[in-house]
Amino acid sequence: MTPLNLTSYEARFKESVVASKERSEWKFKPLFSMERVQMPASYFHKLDEALGCGELDIRWPSISFNARTCTGIIQWMPSGIHEVLASPFIGSNEIATQDMRPDVLSRINAVGSQKVDAFTGAYESSKKEPDVLFKYAQQNRDVLCTAAVEIGFAETYEELVEDTKLWIEGNHDIRTVILIKVEEDPRYSSPASRLEDDQIRELDFPDFRDLRHSMVVPQDPNDSFGPLQLNGLIWVGKMSIFLEIWKRNETTGKAMQQGIRMYFVPDGGLEELDLRLSDFYPLTAADGGNIRFPLTWERLRRHLRMARNELALVRCRDVLRELEQRENDINDLDYSN
């Protein structure tokens, strides 16, 4: 857990937010997509106000807060893999609900990242932004958050479980949380941390502007989700992804995993989840609660393969771009002298 330095985080966030707002690019480039910072609620609210992210027309960076564990969660930017895993839930919701009665359909919705602060008990003062949020409008027009999807790439499994508990134990309208964990083996470490600049140049990379998907090759052609290479260096490790379904124990009120852990990457195994719309919304059978949630995996796996290639290119571009910047800085210094 990162120790708290409010001034440092405020400065970093503000620099990033302003750069993104004014030029649609990141002036500060973080090494990790997510950080967790121990802080009391009062500090989080000061930081949230100081950053003013909610007042700007940008999506990232995003910050959340778990009041029970006093943890600030700072997400700079999701990976393409994050986005690929989230999008089928919204698409499947549209497919499942397309034949519903209009009066029911108008009351349900699945959306991407949206910050929620409707938490109670030990989780009061928390704020959380799930990867997918399911919402239900009651007859009195109150809108409930009824289910969520949490996807972890940079996060550990234990951190994802804490997020799941926040939803289920801190918001009693939540019926289901889908937990998805992406595991990369080995965990990515930039080649720039192991090689000198001259060693990278000797590998004869193309200009980072000319990198293409066709340049990324699998280390093992028979392993669809194995390590990916470009110019002999590994840029993406072997990947596996599992899914868990969590619900509330009606006796204890605590979050509880339902069923077994299900792997859908690598290929094989899980093909369809036994989920109904009533797992996501408070719907009766007459309103369509028994309609199956049509989430299948083969198309998702194809998109994941493309996203992994793109991740390899992004990581490679970062290293080559930084190398070029260092060379330019040295040349500028030599010229000024």
Side-chain angles (χ1 to χ4, degrees):
M1 188 78 68
T2 307
L4 174 67
N5 183 331
L6 184 60
T7 303
S8 170
Y9 274 99
E10 181 179 337
R12 287 173 68 187
F13 265 61
K14 278 200 167 182
E15 185 178 23
S16 296
V17 170
V18 170
S20 179
K21 176 68 175 177
E22 293 180 351
R23 301 193 302 275
S24 298
E25 63 185 36
W26 294 100
K27 184 177 180 182
F28 171 80
K29 186 159 187 60
L31 293 176
F32 304 101
S33 62
M34 177 170 286
E35 298 175 77
R36 291 181 179 245
V37 185
Q38 204 77 47
M39 64 175 71
S42 58
Y43 273 58
F44 168 78
H45 293 302
K46 288 178 182 177
L47 181 59
D48 196 21
E49 182 179 353
L51 299 178
C53 293
E55 300 171 6
L56 299 175
D57 187 24
I58 60 171
R59 186 175 171 191
W60 307 101
S62 165
I63 58 175
S64 303
F65 183 68
N66 186 319
R68 189 185 71 82
T69 60
C70 292
T71 305
I73 305 161
I74 304 164
Q75 185 166 5
W76 299 98
M77 185 77 71
S79 69
I81 290 173
H82 241 93
E83 301 291 289
V84 166
L85 289 170
S87 61
F89 286 90
I90 297 176
S92 294
N93 185 75
E94 293 176 354
I95 294 171
T97 60
Q98 61 187 352
D99 295 326
M100 274 187 162
R101 298 197 323 263
D103 63 308
V104 178
L105 183 60
S106 64
R107 289 156 48 196
I108 63 177
N109 193 22
V111 297
S113 300
Q114 179 175 315
K115 189 168 289 186
V116 176
D117 61 2
F119 298 101
T120 61
Y123 294 96
E124 191 173 355
S125 297
S126 297
K127 289 188 178 182
K128 191 71 180 76
E129 193 169 327
D131 293 284
V132 181
L133 180 67
F134 295 83
K135 302 165 68 177
Y136 177 81
Q138 295 181 300
Q139 295 285 8
N140 63 5
R141 299 186 180 180
D142 283 345
V143 178
L144 309 178
C145 301
T146 53
V149 179
E150 287 285 351
I151 300 166
F153 192 177
E155 306 96 310
T156 66
Y157 171 72
E158 290 73 21
E159 290 167 343
L160 274 177
V161 170
E162 280 298 331
D163 293 342
T164 299
K165 289 179 179 178
L166 166 62
W167 284 112
I168 293 175
E169 297 174 15
N171 185 321
H172 296 296
D173 297 318
I174 292 288
R175 308 170 72 81
T176 304
V177 173
I178 306 295
L179 180 158
I180 298 177
K181 179 70 180 93
V182 182
E183 298 177 322
E184 185 179 12
D185 183 25
R187 189 169 181 176
Y188 177 67
S189 174
S190 169
S193 65
R194 305 187 300 273
L195 301 175
E196 299 293 335
D197 287 359
D198 287 343
Q199 293 175 296
I200 297 176
R201 292 189 194 94
E202 288 172 1
L203 294 173
D204 196 27
F205 278 92
D207 187 288
F208 69 83
R209 302 167 188 84
D210 297 327
L211 293 177
R212 299 290 183 269
H213 278 260
S214 59
M215 300 175 183
V216 180
V217 296
Q219 188 179 54
D220 178 358
N222 297 316
D223 189 348
S224 299
F225 291 94
L228 295 179
Q229 296 179 322
L230 198 160
N231 270 44
L233 297 180
I234 293 178
W235 298 94
V236 175
K238 184 177 180 65
M239 198 164 282
S240 60
I241 306 176
F242 65 79
L243 175 150
E244 294 176 355
I245 300 172
W246 286 67
K247 291 180 175 288
R248 182 179 298 101
N249 183 305
E250 296 301 331
T251 302
T252 65
K254 300 296 184 181
M256 180 179 68
Q257 183 183 336
Q258 183 182 72
I260 62 172
R261 175 179 294 180
M262 297 166 277
Y263 280 85
F264 59 92
V265 168
D267 299 356
L270 180 65
E271 292 301 329
E272 187 172 354
L273 288 177
D274 185 19
L275 289 170
R276 314 283 170 161
L277 284 180
S278 59
D279 290 304
F280 299 92
Y281 305 104
L283 297 175
T284 65
D287 287 340
N290 289 336
I291 296 175
R292 293 184 68 89
F293 196 79
L295 192 64
T296 55
W297 303 108
E298 186 48 47
R299 183 180 178 187
L300 175 59
R301 293 189 190 105
R302 291 199 300 270
H303 289 173
L304 278 170
R305 293 185 190 104
M306 291 187 287
R308 276 170 32 90
N309 270 36
E310 184 58 39
L311 180 60
L313 292 175
V314 166
R315 289 171 170 177
C316 186
R317 287 192 195 105
D318 284 347
V319 169
L320 299 181
R321 186 183 290 112
E322 290 166 7
L323 177 61
E324 181 181 281
Q325 185 60 56
R326 286 195 294 274
E327 291 173 344
N328 292 339
D329 290 345
I330 292 172
N331 292 336
D332 290 344
L333 182 61
D334 291 341
Y335 180 79
S336 64
N337 291 334

